[in-house]
Amino acid sequence: MFVIAICTSTISFWFGRKWESTSDPSSWVKEITNYSPILDDVPLAYTPTQFNGSLLKENIFRQPASPEVDAAWGTLGVNYRPLIIPSSLAQKSGLAPDQVKINQKYGGGYPANVEGLHHLHCLNLLRQSLWYNYEYYHNLGEGAFKNEEYIVKFHASHCLDIVRQQLMCTVDVEVLGQVWIHPEEPEAYVDFNTKHMCRDFEAVRSWAEERQMPEVVPEDWLQPPELGDRIYEEMP
């Protein structure tokens, strides 16, 4: 009995210490997230967030194509220019020495994009490619729609698969309950209006916005590849 009591106390103590060490988001998010310079500047704060899962009540992000809808998506950072990762943080950020660099005469570093904003860029392109939006953007001929249709198709399917992989990588294990609708003849309906603990998106977006490369850069902005650098035969 004495041995059992000691073991029980030890296990309780261990779990208690483990919980204490992981109750701070910064102590466990860094264990499941590759390093990014953002983590040095943006607190890893998580806050309860109510999702809008309405089927019939459309917010601005769901409405048919228009300048107002495009402006709303633009506020999410879907069109931000790349930022510059300092050479001192490149390897730590997962960048290889022979990846594209900025010319040393302009300060050096590596051009890069915040991946989460690329995911939103992709979601926006899928929105633009929906059957009821496609003609509008095709006729507008801006952004991705400057290209021939077969390139737009490849771009859209690339984005579809990027979003698929991201959703599978960070699969949400929370559950969707059901509610009753139509008092006259009640029927069950899935409640998509759920609560989540969400990272501070606005802080990440603001960080990326402030660090965008100049809109116009010199012709020699990028450093030419050096002997031995990988140059792919085609797009990887």
Side-chain angles (χ1 to χ4, degrees):
M1 291 294 292
F2 179 69
V3 174
I4 293 175
I6 292 177
C7 289
T8 303
S9 298
T10 303
I11 292 171
S12 299
F13 174 79
W14 184 86
F15 274 112
R17 296 296 297 172
K18 187 67 174 176
W19 172 254
E20 288 176 11
S21 67
T22 58
S23 59
D24 176 12
S26 63
S27 66
W28 55 265
V29 172
K30 290 181 180 179
E31 294 182 9
I32 61 173
T33 302
N34 292 332
Y35 172 79
S36 166
I38 295 177
L39 299 177
D40 295 334
D41 301 322
V42 177
L44 294 173
Y46 281 72
T47 55
T49 303
Q50 177 71 52
F51 275 22
N52 176 0
S54 175
L55 178 66
L56 302 178
K57 299 175 182 178
E58 293 185 323
N59 59 32
I60 188 64
F61 299 103
R62 294 174 53 186
Q63 292 175 14
S66 72
E68 293 74 23
V69 173
D70 286 339
W73 279 88
T75 64
L76 303 182
V78 298
N79 298 315
Y80 283 177
R81 299 181 298 279
L83 48 87
I84 301 172
I85 303 296
S87 298
S88 60
L89 298 177
Q91 184 176 1
K92 191 176 179 182
S93 302
L95 301 177
D98 61 356
Q99 286 191 273
V100 176
K101 304 180 191 68
I102 295 167
N103 200 313
Q104 285 294 336
K105 67 189 290 187
Y106 302 114
Y110 293 66
N113 296 81
V114 175
E115 194 156 9
L117 297 186
H118 176 253
H119 297 152
L120 283 170
H121 157 83
C122 273
L123 189 61
N124 187 44
L125 180 62
L126 293 176
R127 173 192 69 84
Q128 294 172 324
S129 302
L130 292 170
W131 65 269
Y132 56 83
N133 285 336
Y134 183 82
E135 184 177 2
Y136 176 91
Y137 291 105
H138 175 73
N139 292 338
L140 202 60
E142 296 178 355
F145 294 86
K146 290 179 180 178
N147 298 301
E148 296 184 47
E149 283 199 2
Y150 81 97
I151 295 295
V152 176
K153 173 182 175 295
F154 278 122
H155 195 164
S157 65
H158 152 80
C159 277
L160 175 68
D161 207 43
I162 285 289
V163 174
R164 174 192 67 81
Q165 292 175 79
Q166 177 62 20
L167 290 174
M168 291 175 67
C169 179
T170 57
V171 57
D172 193 336
V173 296
E174 298 182 37
V175 298
L176 297 169
Q178 299 186 11
V179 294
W180 293 107
I181 61 173
H182 304 146
E184 301 79 12
E185 298 182 25
E187 59 179 297
Y189 179 76
V190 177
D191 183 9
F192 299 103
N193 300 290
T194 51
K195 291 182 180 179
H196 296 259
M197 291 297 291
C198 297
R199 184 177 287 179
D200 188 346
F201 171 78
E202 182 58 24
V204 173
R205 184 209 60 75
S206 178
W207 186 93
E209 180 182 32
E210 294 170 0
R211 289 162 175 77
Q212 292 180 90
M213 293 195 319
E215 189 169 358
V216 178
V217 297
E219 289 187 6
D220 61 348
W221 176 255
L222 298 180
Q223 179 177 311
E226 299 175 351
L227 184 65
D229 285 355
R230 288 173 301 172
I231 303 178
Y232 293 94
E233 295 289 340
E234 57 184 10
M235 296 179 187

